[in-house]
Amino acid sequence: MSVTKDSFMAGGVAEATAGYNADFKCPTLDMISWSQGLFGFVASLQPILDALTPYVATTSPTGNATPPRTPPPFDGDISISKLRIAYRNGLSPLSVLESLFESIEKYQHIDPAVWIHLEDKDKVMQRANMLVAQSPDLKNLPPLFGVPFSVKDSIDINGIPTTTACPPLTHVPSVSAPVYDVLLREGAIFIGKTNLDQLATGLTGCRSPFGITRSVLNRNYISGGSSSGNCVSVGAGLVSFSLATDTAGSARVPSGFNGVVGYKPTRGLVSAMGVTPACLSLDCVAFIAGNVQDARTVWDLCVGFDENDRYAKITSPLQRHVDAIGEAAASFKFGIPPPEALAICAPVYRRKFHEAIQKLQTMGGRLTPIDWSPFEKAGKLLYEGTFVSERLASLPDDWFMKNQGHLHPVIRSIFEKVIARNSTAIQAYRDLQAKALYTRQAEKVFAYDSAGVDVVVVPTAPTHWTVDQVLADPIGTNSTLGEFTHFGNVLDLCAVAVPAGTYPLSEMAAESHESGVLPFSITFLGGSRMDAKTLEISRRFHDVM
């Protein structure tokens, strides 16, 4: 039997039926997996044994335990899965942290804008020593034992100022965000709070008084935002994962520009308490990691209903059945935007997206026609409608007038335009009704029937701007970047941005004489609470890239 959080799934192990009459056994096993696994799944035991091998103590031929071994040297791989194995084999988290602080210090000279708050090294080492003392059994360590992580500076941590990159809004919380507390309980080690677009408003990484972050692959190009420092800290190998937020693409776009995974769960599955609101009804806690499995590992630990979060979902994420035998084991259906929607993309992005589609088809994906209209209309609703007014709704009525002189010029301009609209309650209700309609239409796209798809696949962004291009046109360039992200939160979807290769720098900027490459990324969008299925398809794609 396979046990998942809040659910059970029946399963059969093929080896357990050895010795049974074949004419009886085969039809019986097929019946269990009938209707694409409706009643459960059948699998071989060997993959499970292979996966458990690193965690099982070996014994000598005489049966005696293997004598203590010299702890392995740190090889520089800070993915969660690799750190788990290394720690169980005796590697000390102190060795990992020593190396990381050296890397952080060096990277400060490359990009000094990554961090707003960096924890004192001695305090971090003290935390590591405490974890080691509390966990003497190396075969029974907490899931995130010794795993270093960063946090976006719009998420509360007890005793550390939360700035949201906006000095007038800085406060010192007395309580940490619940999601942060979960990570500490599971053994993770906090390294620091990262830079962001002011008030989490923007997709460029160029709107902070603490400096402009840059792509880890080329400092002339933007890091993306608003979770800019989160994605740079992971992409530069300074932490294993990062706790971010996503309101309109703030975790997905910068992940795409830094070659990492950005996962926005379905709204309400992870508590958003302790997060400074951007648009309260759309804000999501998001996870940045080097690979999909690491992002899922952290999410699995953080999922839970929080009665204090007004937008929390009482229902659990859906664990759609596992297709376990035959062609269904490797197949899935996916939809993509129509050619006219992809026309906004840079030529190299269109080329790379077509390559990604071909890769998905070789994996067993079946390209299926979809109705793109609800996605397009919902994306326009976010900033062309009244929803953008919610960015002021969580602030006191007179806050903007008192503090506008302290705001980043671009943020001030955005808020001035919002106020100048004089949006009415009638317009707001019409937009809410439209949102409900588009959400229902999108549900049909992901329906579990012959016409529905498992995921919709889009380019994470249409292009990759240079810092100079964004500074020259801060509003227009930012708007373009959200073409394939804005609708995700409006429609209550889950989304995983995944690296999909690189391309020569010359293909983006023909006039450039620089060598090197830039990253490309695609995003897998799944229906509300279909996070598990969406993550699994994303993982399979990332594994073959």
Side-chain angles (χ1 to χ4, degrees):
M1 178 180 292
S2 170
V3 182
T4 58
K5 192 168 186 176
D6 301 321
S7 66
F8 295 86
M9 180 178 289
V13 177
E15 287 86 347
T17 62
Y20 283 83
N21 182 286
D23 293 337
F24 166 78
K25 179 181 74 172
C26 294
T28 301
L29 293 179
D30 288 344
M31 184 175 65
I32 292 176
S33 295
W34 177 73
S35 187
Q36 297 181 310
L38 179 63
F39 298 124
F41 64 91
V42 176
S44 169
L45 184 62
Q46 191 57 48
I48 300 175
L49 297 177
D50 292 341
L52 293 175
T53 298
Y55 311 114
V56 178
T58 58
T59 57
S60 65
T62 59
N64 297 323
T66 302
R69 295 172 292 179
T70 302
F74 176 47
D75 63 3
D77 191 333
I78 57 172
S79 63
I80 295 175
S81 56
K82 291 300 178 65
L83 283 180
R84 278 177 167 177
I85 296 172
Y87 288 149
R88 286 186 173 99
N89 287 331
L91 177 67
S92 170
L94 297 171
S95 300
V96 174
L97 294 170
E98 282 286 355
S99 176
L100 284 189
F101 271 96
E102 290 180 9
S103 297
I104 290 171
E105 183 177 357
K106 291 177 181 177
Y107 205 77
Q108 294 275 46
H109 299 288
I110 299 173
D111 190 344
V114 177
W115 305 95
I116 290 179
H117 166 83
L118 194 60
E119 281 284 83
D120 179 74
K121 180 181 176 182
D122 290 341
K123 185 176 180 179
V124 173
M125 291 301 186
Q126 183 179 3
R127 160 78 172 162
N129 276 313
M130 181 190 72
L131 285 172
V132 171
Q134 292 176 345
S135 306
D137 183 2
L138 298 183
K139 301 302 179 184
N140 191 31
L141 297 173
L144 297 179
F145 175 84
V147 177
F149 73 105
S150 61
V151 177
K152 187 175 184 176
D153 196 18
S154 60
I155 300 175
D156 286 347
I157 298 177
N158 181 13
I160 299 176
T162 300
T163 72
T164 320
C166 183
L169 204 61
T170 299
H171 67 281
V172 181
S174 58
V175 177
S176 298
V179 67
Y180 173 82
D181 286 337
V182 169
L183 299 177
L184 291 194
R185 286 198 300 270
E186 301 297 347
I189 296 180
F190 170 64
I191 300 298
K193 301 192 80 174
T194 56
N195 200 359
L196 66 154
D197 281 322
Q198 190 173 74
L199 298 177
T201 302
L203 295 172
T204 65
C206 299
R207 300 176 174 180
S208 170
F210 296 100
I212 296 174
T213 49
R214 315 286 180 128
S215 170
V216 297
L217 275 78
N218 189 305
R219 63 173 285 100
N220 291 328
Y221 284 77
I222 62 170
S223 65
S226 64
S227 303
S228 50
N230 300 87
C231 297
V232 173
S233 65
V234 175
L238 309 180
V239 292
S240 300
F241 72 92
S242 193
L243 202 58
T245 68
D246 190 306
T247 303
S250 290
R252 289 163 279 164
V253 169
S255 292
F257 291 161
N258 291 281
V260 297
V261 170
Y263 166 42
K264 183 206 84 66
T266 299
R267 176 72 171 95
L269 295 184
V270 175
S271 174
M273 295 300 294
V275 175
T276 304
C279 288
L280 188 61
S281 67
L282 302 177
D283 295 337
C284 298
V285 169
F287 305 101
I288 315 299
N291 59 70
V292 177
Q293 186 56 53
D294 281 3
R296 180 167 188 168
T297 295
V298 180
W299 171 70
D300 279 336
L301 295 169
C302 295
V303 168
F305 175 72
D306 182 354
E307 63 180 7
N308 296 314
D309 182 350
R310 70 191 77 181
Y311 292 105
K313 285 184 170 60
I314 296 178
T315 51
S316 301
L318 298 177
Q319 303 285 347
R320 184 176 284 188
H321 71 267
V322 178
D323 298 325
I325 63 170
E327 294 182 2
S331 66
F332 57 93
K333 293 191 293 183
F334 70 99
I336 62 173
E340 56 270 24
L342 294 170
I344 192 175
C345 295
V348 63
Y349 269 44
R350 291 198 294 271
R351 176 177 71 80
K352 293 297 294 183
F353 187 61
H354 292 153
E355 290 177 2
I357 293 171
Q358 292 173 345
K359 179 68 71 174
L360 289 167
Q361 290 173 317
T362 62
M363 289 169 47
R366 301 197 303 275
L367 184 57
T368 305
I370 62 169
D371 176 10
W372 181 249
S373 62
F375 303 93
E376 180 181 14
K377 292 176 182 177
K380 292 179 179 178
L381 192 64
L382 184 59
Y383 281 107
E384 295 180 14
T386 58
F387 284 6
V388 69
S389 300
E390 191 177 9
R391 289 190 177 269
L392 285 170
S394 297
L395 300 170
D397 289 339
D398 60 349
W399 185 91
F400 177 73
M401 297 306 296
K402 289 181 177 179
N403 295 284
Q404 59 180 314
H406 301 289
L407 297 179
H408 188 281
V410 177
I411 303 300
R412 183 172 64 248
S413 173
I414 292 171
F415 285 178
E416 287 173 345
K417 292 177 181 177
V418 171
I419 293 172
R421 287 183 181 182
N422 290 316
S423 297
T424 67
I426 293 174
Q427 291 171 321
Y429 275 110
R430 284 173 177 164
D431 286 349
L432 287 172
Q433 292 167 359
K435 175 181 181 291
L437 174 63
Y438 304 152
T439 301
R440 182 54 49 85
Q441 292 172 343
E443 288 173 354
K444 295 179 180 178
V445 173
F446 296 102
Y448 192 33
D449 57 26
S450 59
V453 298
D454 295 298
V455 290
V456 171
V457 182
V458 299
T460 299
T463 190
H464 195 167
W465 304 116
T466 65
V467 172
D468 289 343
Q469 286 174 317
V470 170
L471 295 180
D473 180 14
I475 303 296
T477 52
N478 188 91
S479 179
T480 298
L481 294 178
E483 183 71 19
F484 301 112
T485 61
H486 285 164
F487 55 75
N489 301 60
V490 176
L491 298 176
D492 196 28
L493 307 178
C494 58
V496 189
V498 180
T502 59
Y503 57 91
L505 179 62
S506 59
E507 284 198 68
M508 181 60 73
E511 71 281 1
S512 174
H513 299 292
E514 283 188 86
S515 59
V517 297
L518 289 172
F520 179 70
S521 169
I522 63 173
T523 293
F524 294 83
L525 296 149
S528 180
R529 298 184 298 126
M530 294 307 303
D531 299 60
K533 182 78 170 183
T534 307
L535 283 163
E536 175 59 17
I537 295 173
S538 304
R539 181 199 63 79
R540 289 179 53 200
F541 175 81
H542 196 204
D543 285 352
V544 301
M545 287 303 297

